[in-house]
Amino acid sequence: VVLLDLSHSPEPRHVLSRHSLPITDLHCGHMGAQARVATSSLDQTVKVWELSSGELLLSVLFDMEIMSVTFDPSEYFLFCGGRDGNIFQVSLCSQVST
C-alpha cells in the first residue's frame, strides 16, 4: 500500500535481495503485523521472510526452477509450483530432531 505523495518518491521498507536469479512469484500471508512473505525464484529456491523486519526465516532449495508459491489459509504449509508442473508441499510447522 502506497500513500501517493507527488512531492517525493516512496522508499521501500525492505529489499528482498537474497535470491541469485529473478523472483518469479511473491505471496504475502494474512497475519497482519506478524505476516510472512514467500518468494520463489529461478535460482531454484523458495524463501520465507518476516514482513515486519524483512528477516529471512527459511530458505528451501529444489531440484528445479520454482515458478509460483503460496501458503495454505492457516499458513502451516507452503505450496511451490515447479517449472515442470509438479507442486511441492513444505511443512512450516514440523520439528527437526537432532
Side-chain angles (χ1 to χ4, degrees):
V1 178
V2 176
L3 177 60
L4 186 58
D5 181 357
L6 299 176
S7 65
H8 70 283
S9 298
E11 295 291 324
R13 181 174 178 126
H14 303 294
V15 177
L16 308 177
S17 61
R18 303 278 297 268
H19 286 287
S20 60
L21 292 172
I23 291 174
T24 55
D25 196 18
L26 179 140
H27 178 79
C28 187
H30 302 288
M31 297 179 68
Q34 301 300 320
R36 296 179 285 184
V37 174
T39 56
S40 61
S41 172
L42 295 177
D43 67 7
Q44 301 179 345
T45 66
V46 169
K47 298 186 184 301
V48 178
W49 314 80
E50 183 178 67
L51 182 61
S52 62
S53 69
E55 178 183 355
L56 178 64
L57 302 174
L58 175 69
S59 182
V60 182
L61 177 64
F62 293 89
D63 291 337
M64 70 184 62
E65 297 166 332
I66 302 299
M67 305 309 292
S68 61
V69 65
T70 190
F71 295 114
D72 73 305
S74 61
E75 296 189 19
Y76 292 144
F77 295 99
L78 188 64
F79 295 96
C80 311
R83 180 173 289 276
D84 67 353
N86 284 322
I87 298 173
F88 303 95
Q89 178 179 315
V90 178
S91 174
L92 298 174
C93 298
S94 64
Q95 297 182 3
V96 176
S97 60
T98 57

